[in-house]
């Protein structure tokens, strides 16, 4: 075991000991003016600077999104997708911006099978759909921002060009993907200097990405879709027999949608409509409301078993109904109704687990950020490459890693998410926000974690709305994650007696020995008594700033 790995595990064991003792790892961070959270301290700091300079929540959010594309390069970037919820303080209206890219004109089961695949590949250019994040950044700024696109990208350009310090987490993440990176010469040049992951504390510079970011800042999003960079992307994808071409790239447009919502313990929880899995979160909330969770006790066997069973029920409908909203009309009214929730919970067995609605074992390599500014404008934004380093392919000379969201399509013609030309696939990304009954801000909330996102959000919401925890305690509290084949991951601090009871009910329990990014990385900005108070999960690199 290397010195780096030993120190990383030691830190994890220390965190586990704190969690077991019920101690809070980080302090409550709050202030009366504004607050930001993101999946990296440098991004949070950049967003705070924008707000302090007079920018609004959208200005800060897009600035942070650009920085995250540089400092968390394996989890998001110019080659990925983005979803954003925005509450406009002036009107109280909530907007949903879908910046996920469709498949392209060559996306058919026949095209995939012709290249020797009987299932959708999970890596390679064939798994890449059109990247939507950059157009989403620009469209959000154009509609609601006050600063220019070039100004918003300036911090990202600076970090890519001048470098940023490599954290222990980034070192470990790059090292963990070393074999995949080694298969792509462009990725080797960027992420494996001297043939190894950059050492913590050294400076990582990304010159190809810096040049691309400067061009995008100078020429606007058109650079990525019709400009020189777009031409490079299209030529690379076509050469590798991917799903889209230059015409598809040039025709990409984001989609403004109506959010979906439900009520929960006197608050309105707002989620993103399909093609995201936010529906599954709201369904779990509707079902959870049918139980006296507080009486069960926080993280008791009854509590955990109940929530796991509700998740399975929600995932059945998620997998049956969520895909591109422009190709399929998801029956939202029925699925989000309280009456349907009551029907579903009648099937829950209090002493036995079911086998339905299992999730995939995905990596959940994603970043989340949120902002609540002085006026009460709220942003909940999530963006991703899906797997670590997405498709594992970088467009030569650009520094752009293409995502692999196309891997979530199916080749089965009976599946609602069957691959088809110019179709958006199902997405795990699920940003959320919560309003009080009068429509005023209560919190922004979100988390990375792939299929586990809705489970993380449900638990954090319960921690705050049911059990009365402050945001930081709520995100640090022990969690579960229900996996495929009946497997159930539990944080180390959940008592052994609870694990035994869950095993007796049929769950295949796996107890973690240290905090893990597999449990997500939740973030919250909560409004209470005029204060903006953050919660930022130490399981990843999340960081909150308020003043």
């Amino acid at each position: 075991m290397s010195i780096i790995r030993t120190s990383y595990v030691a830190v994890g064991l220390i965190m586990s000991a704190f969690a077991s003792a019920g101690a809070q790892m980080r302090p409550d961070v709050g202030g009366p003016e504004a607050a930001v959270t993101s999946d990296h301290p440098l991004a949070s700091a950049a967003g705070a600077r924008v707000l302090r300079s007079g920018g609004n929540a959208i200005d800060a959010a897009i600035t942070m999104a650009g920085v995250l594309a540089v400092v968390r390069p394996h989890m998001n970037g110019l080659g990925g997708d983005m979803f954003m919820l925005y509450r406009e303080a002036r009107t109280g209206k909530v907007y949903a911006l879908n910046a996920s890219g469709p498949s392209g004109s060559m996306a058919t089961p026949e095209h995939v099978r012709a290249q020797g695949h009987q299932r959708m590949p999970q890596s390679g250019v064939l798994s890449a759909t059109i990247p939507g994040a950059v157009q989403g950044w620009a469209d959000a700024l154009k509609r609601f921002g006050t600063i220019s696109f070039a100004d918003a990208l300036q911090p990202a350009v600076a970090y890519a060009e001048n470098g940023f310090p490599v954290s222990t987490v980034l070192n470990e993440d790059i090292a963990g993907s070393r074999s995949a990176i080694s298969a792509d010469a462009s990725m080797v040049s960027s992420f494996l200097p001297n043939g190894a992951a950059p050492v913590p504390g050294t400076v990582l510079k990304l010159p190809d990405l810096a040049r691309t970011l400067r061009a995008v800042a100078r020429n606007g999003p058109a650079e990525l879709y019709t400009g020189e960079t777009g031409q490079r992307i299209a030529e690379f994808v076509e050469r590798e027999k991917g799903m889209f071409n230059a015409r598809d790239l040039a025709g990409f447009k984001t989609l403004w949608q109506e959010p979906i919502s439900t009520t929960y313990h006197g608050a309105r929880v707002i989620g993103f409509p399909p093609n995201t899995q936010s529906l599954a979160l709201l369904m779990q909330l509707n079902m959870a409301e049918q139980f006296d969770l507080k009486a069960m006790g926080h993280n008791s066997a009854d509590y955990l078993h109940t929530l796991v069973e509700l998740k399975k029920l929600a995932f059945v409908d998620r997998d049956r109904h969520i895909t591109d909203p422009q190709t399929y009309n998801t029956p939202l009214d029925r699925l989000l109704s309280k009456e349907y929730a009551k029907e579903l919970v009648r099937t829950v067995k209090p002493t036995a687990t079911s086998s339905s609605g299992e999730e995939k074992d995905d990596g959940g390599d994603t970043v989340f950020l949120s902002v609540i500014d002085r006026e009460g404008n709220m942003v909940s934004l999530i963006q991703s490459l899906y797997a670590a380093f997405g498709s594992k392919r970088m467009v030569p000379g650009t520094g752009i890693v293409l995502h692999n969201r196309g891997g979530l399509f199916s080749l089965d013609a009976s599946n609602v998410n069957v691959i088809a030309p110019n179709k958006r696939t199902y997405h795990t990304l699920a940003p959320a926000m919560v309003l009080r009954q009068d429509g005023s801000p209560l919190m922004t909330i979100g988390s990375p974690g792939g299929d586990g996102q809705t489970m993380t959000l449900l638990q954090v919401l319960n921690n705050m709305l049911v059990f009365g925890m402050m945001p930081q305690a709520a995100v640090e509290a022990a969690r579960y994650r229900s996996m495929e084949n009946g497997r159930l991951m539990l944080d180390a601090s959940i008592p052994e007696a609870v694990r035994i009871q869950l095993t007796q009910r049929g769950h295949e329990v796996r107890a973690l020995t240290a905090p893990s990014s597999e449990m997500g990385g939740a973030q919250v900005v909560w409004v209470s008594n005029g204060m903006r108070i953050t919660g930022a999960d130490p399981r990843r690199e999340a960081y909150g700033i308020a003043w």
Side-chain angles (χ1 to χ4, degrees), residues 5-343:
R5 168 62 75 177
T6 302
S7 64
Y8 184 67
V9 171
V11 170
L13 292 174
I14 291 170
M15 290 175 66
S16 180
F18 268 87
S20 297
Q24 189 171 304
M25 285 292 298
R26 293 180 180 174
D28 298 309
V29 176
E33 292 193 33
V36 300
T37 66
S38 82
D39 265 296
H40 197 280
L42 291 178
S44 296
R49 283 196 299 271
V50 170
L51 292 177
R52 285 172 169 156
S53 299
N56 66 16
I58 289 289
D59 301 329
I62 303 309
T63 299
M64 287 193 287
V67 172
L68 286 170
V70 177
V71 300
R72 299 286 278 168
H74 55 308
M75 292 196 167
N76 76 129
L78 278 65
D81 282 344
M82 181 270 276
F83 295 88
M84 183 191 76
L85 290 172
Y86 172 63
R87 176 192 179 269
E88 185 181 39
R90 181 177 59 85
T91 62
K93 182 174 173 57
V94 179
Y95 299 84
L97 175 59
N98 184 332
S100 65
S103 53
S105 57
M106 294 174 283
T108 63
E110 293 72 27
H111 178 71
V112 176
R113 292 192 179 106
Q115 296 178 60
H117 300 282
Q118 297 308 307
R119 301 179 64 183
M120 280 301 302
Q122 300 303 300
S123 62
V125 170
L126 192 58
S127 69
T129 54
I130 293 170
V134 170
Q135 189 64 56
W137 299 345
D139 288 353
L141 271 177
K142 182 177 180 180
R143 186 167 184 179
F144 296 112
T146 68
I147 65 175
S148 70
F149 193 53
D151 286 344
L153 290 185
Q154 199 52 49
V157 172
Y159 284 124
E161 188 167 52
N162 302 324
F164 59 94
V166 175
S167 67
T168 303
V169 173
L170 181 57
N171 164 270
E172 291 286 331
D173 288 346
I174 292 175
S177 295
R178 188 178 185 280
S179 60
I181 296 170
S182 298
D184 185 286
S186 296
M187 289 178 65
V188 168
S189 176
S190 292
F191 303 119
L192 294 176
N194 305 314
V199 175
T202 58
V203 176
L204 179 62
K205 298 181 180 181
L206 301 170
D208 286 347
L209 182 58
R211 283 191 292 272
T212 297
L213 281 165
R214 279 200 303 272
V216 172
R218 180 176 60 251
N219 301 324
E223 173 65 30
L224 198 79
Y225 299 97
T226 59
E228 180 180 344
T229 301
Q231 292 173 11
R232 288 188 176 191
I233 294 172
E235 289 170 2
F236 177 66
V237 171
E238 290 190 76
R239 185 167 64 247
E240 298 279 330
K241 298 181 180 179
M243 294 192 287
F244 63 88
N245 56 31
R247 183 176 298 175
D248 300 325
L249 198 60
F252 171 67
K253 287 181 172 54
T254 61
L255 182 65
W256 291 95
Q257 298 175 265
E258 286 297 319
I260 57 177
S261 68
T262 194
T263 55
Y264 191 63
H265 287 278
R268 177 157 294 279
V269 182
I270 299 174
F272 209 100
N275 53 319
T276 80
Q277 68 163 335
S278 288
L279 172 65
L281 168 63
L282 302 186
M283 290 181 66
Q284 288 172 78
L285 293 172
N286 281 344
M287 289 186 282
E289 201 171 43
Q290 311 302 315
F291 297 86
D292 190 347
L293 300 179
K294 191 170 185 178
M296 291 180 182
H298 185 256
N299 281 350
S300 68
D302 287 343
Y303 175 80
L304 295 172
H305 172 79
T306 298
L307 294 190
V308 169
E309 296 307 294
L310 301 186
K311 163 257 173 178
K312 292 176 182 179
L313 291 169
F315 274 31
V316 170
D317 280 320
R318 181 199 71 168
D319 295 344
R320 184 180 294 154
H321 292 295
I322 297 181
T323 188
D324 189 336
Q326 296 183 310
T327 66
Y328 178 78
N329 186 22
T330 301
L332 292 174
D333 288 344
R334 171 161 171 75
L335 296 175
L336 287 173
S337 70
K338 302 290 187 179
E339 292 73 19
Y340 186 58
K342 291 175 182 177
E343 290 179 25

Side-chain angles (χ1 to χ4, degrees), residues 349-527:
K349 298 177 181 178
T351 59
T353 184
S354 66
S355 60
S356 60
E358 303 296 346
E359 70 154 293
K360 301 175 183 178
D361 287 336
D362 58 48
D365 292 291
T366 294
V367 296
F368 176 78
L369 65 88
S370 68
V371 189
I372 301 182
D373 65 19
R374 180 181 301 176
E375 286 71 34
N377 297 303
M378 307 168 70
V379 175
S380 184
L381 186 154
I382 196 163
Q383 56 190 34
S384 178
L385 292 176
Y386 187 38
F389 292 102
S391 66
K392 314 298 190 293
R393 300 304 307 275
M394 178 181 282
V395 180
T398 68
I400 297 176
V401 177
L402 296 175
H403 63 166
N404 67 321
R405 281 291 166 181
L408 288 173
F409 278 120
S410 173
L411 300 185
D412 181 356
S414 66
N415 191 303
V416 69
N417 205 44
V418 64
I419 191 170
N422 305 307
K423 181 178 180 179
R424 287 178 166 89
T425 185
Y426 154 80
H427 261 268
T428 57
L429 305 184
M433 60 177 56
V434 187
L435 305 179
R436 291 182 168 83
Q437 288 182 336
D438 64 1
S440 63
L442 182 58
M443 73 178 87
T444 54
I445 183 170
S447 174
D451 279 335
Q453 287 180 36
T454 68
M455 286 175 268
T456 295
L457 299 186
L458 172 63
Q459 292 173 87
V460 174
L461 286 169
N462 280 341
N463 290 346
M464 296 182 68
L465 299 179
V466 177
F467 295 102
M469 297 183 193
M470 292 284 285
Q472 190 59 41
V475 302
E476 290 187 18
R479 293 201 286 265
Y480 72 84
R481 180 168 174 175
S482 168
M483 308 294 284
E484 63 183 358
N485 300 322
R487 292 183 302 118
L488 179 61
M489 287 196 304
L490 298 177
D491 271 327
S493 59
I494 292 178
E496 183 179 3
V498 172
R499 298 179 217 158
I500 292 172
Q501 292 178 59
L502 290 169
T503 301
Q504 291 171 341
R505 298 183 197 199
H507 301 279
E508 185 182 325
V509 174
R510 171 192 162 200
L512 300 175
T513 58
S516 169
S517 62
E518 287 184 278
M519 293 298 207
Q523 298 168 44
V524 173
V525 177
W526 181 48
V527 179

